[in-house]
Amino acid sequence: KLKKESGIMYKNYLSENLQYFFEIGLDKKDLAHVSDLNYSNIVNLENGLVNNPNILTVSKLAKALELSVEYLVNKDSRGEIIDFDFMKEKDLIDPLEFKLSQNVDSFIKANGYSNHKAGRMFRTCATTVRRIREDKEKMARLEICNKIAKSMKVSLDELLFEEIKFQ
């Protein structure tokens, strides 16, 4: 799935990576259980039926697989040797603690932006920026989070899970 992002083609490798992981031995039912996602959701992601999943889904997958979100969606993992035996012993992942809304709010305040100006900078709409700032980040879409991370010059994982100080 190629998406155009400011003149550059953006490729999301989530579907290809999941297909590869299942080929090399990852069990879909184990992943569904550990990530606390519905089995059919896993199958839809694998088959590329969900082009732009919400960030909560992607984060749960990454955490369950013990991979970074950045690695899971932005890197072609095919050909790499990854051992998923630990999944059979693993129980549900711990709840995720997002920092997305806090980081976006901090960045906007540090730069004196309005939601509209930040929306233009992040190449998204002001409504999306407002929703994220109102702590509804778990429903933010992967593509939007990638755009915001690139605009802020931070990794996707930093944007989502680490508290970033902006001056």
Side-chain angles (χ1 to χ4, degrees), residues 2 5 13 19-20 23 25-26 28 30 40-41 49 58 73 86 94 101 107 114-115 117 120 129-130 148-150:
L2 290 175
E5 183 178 302
Y13 287 101
Q19 289 169 11
Y20 174 67
E23 286 171 18
L26 177 62
K28 291 177 196 171
D30 286 346
S40 63
N41 197 357
L49 299 176
V58 175
V73 300
F86 67 88
D94 296 327
S101 62
F107 180 82
S114 66
N115 286 348
K117 188 172 180 182
R120 284 194 304 274
V129 173
R130 180 181 49 76
I148 291 172
K150 286 179 183 174

Side-chain angles (χ1 to χ4, degrees), residues 16-160:
E16 288 90 342
N17 285 339
L18 286 175
Q19 289 169 11
Y20 174 67
F21 297 158
F22 297 136
E23 286 171 18
I24 63 170
L26 177 62
D27 184 81
K28 291 177 196 171
K29 288 181 182 172
D30 286 346
L31 181 57
H33 169 73
V34 174
S35 64
D36 196 27
L37 293 171
N38 187 305
Y39 179 83
S40 63
N41 197 357
I42 302 282
V43 172
N44 288 342
L45 289 166
E46 173 197 13
N47 293 325
L49 299 176
V50 183
N51 292 336
N52 192 14
N54 70 47
I55 204 64
L56 177 62
T57 299
V58 175
S59 298
K60 282 182 169 186
L61 285 173
K63 185 150 184 168
L65 293 167
E66 297 182 2
L67 299 170
S68 71
V69 173
E70 193 87 38
Y71 180 94
L72 183 61
V73 300
N74 291 332
K75 184 174 186 327
D76 186 351
S77 303
R78 290 172 291 188
E80 293 191 20
I81 298 170
I82 304 171
D83 184 5
F84 291 112
D85 285 344
F86 67 88
M87 291 290 287
K88 293 176 183 6
E89 312 296 319
K90 206 169 177 182
D91 205 6
L92 283 174
I93 59 171
D94 296 327
L96 297 167
E97 191 175 319
F98 284 98
K99 303 287 186 195
L100 174 62
S101 62
Q102 179 181 335
N103 287 333
V104 167
D105 192 52
S106 174
F107 180 82
I108 288 171
K109 287 178 180 173
N111 288 287
Y113 291 161
S114 66
N115 286 348
H116 287 285
K117 188 172 180 182
R120 284 194 304 274
M121 184 196 162
F122 296 150
R123 293 183 192 89
T124 187
C125 67
T127 305
T128 300
V129 173
R130 180 181 49 76
R131 284 185 183 144
I132 289 171
R133 291 181 81 187
E134 289 173 352
D135 217 17
K136 295 178 180 147
E137 70 257 11
K138 290 178 185 170
M139 297 311 291
R141 296 286 172 194
L142 174 61
E143 189 175 350
I144 295 293
C145 292
N146 252 328
K147 286 180 181 181
I148 291 172
K150 286 179 183 174
S151 298
M152 293 168 64
K153 295 180 176 62
V154 298
S155 77
L156 195 51
D157 291 277
E158 288 173 317
L159 175 66
L160 295 174

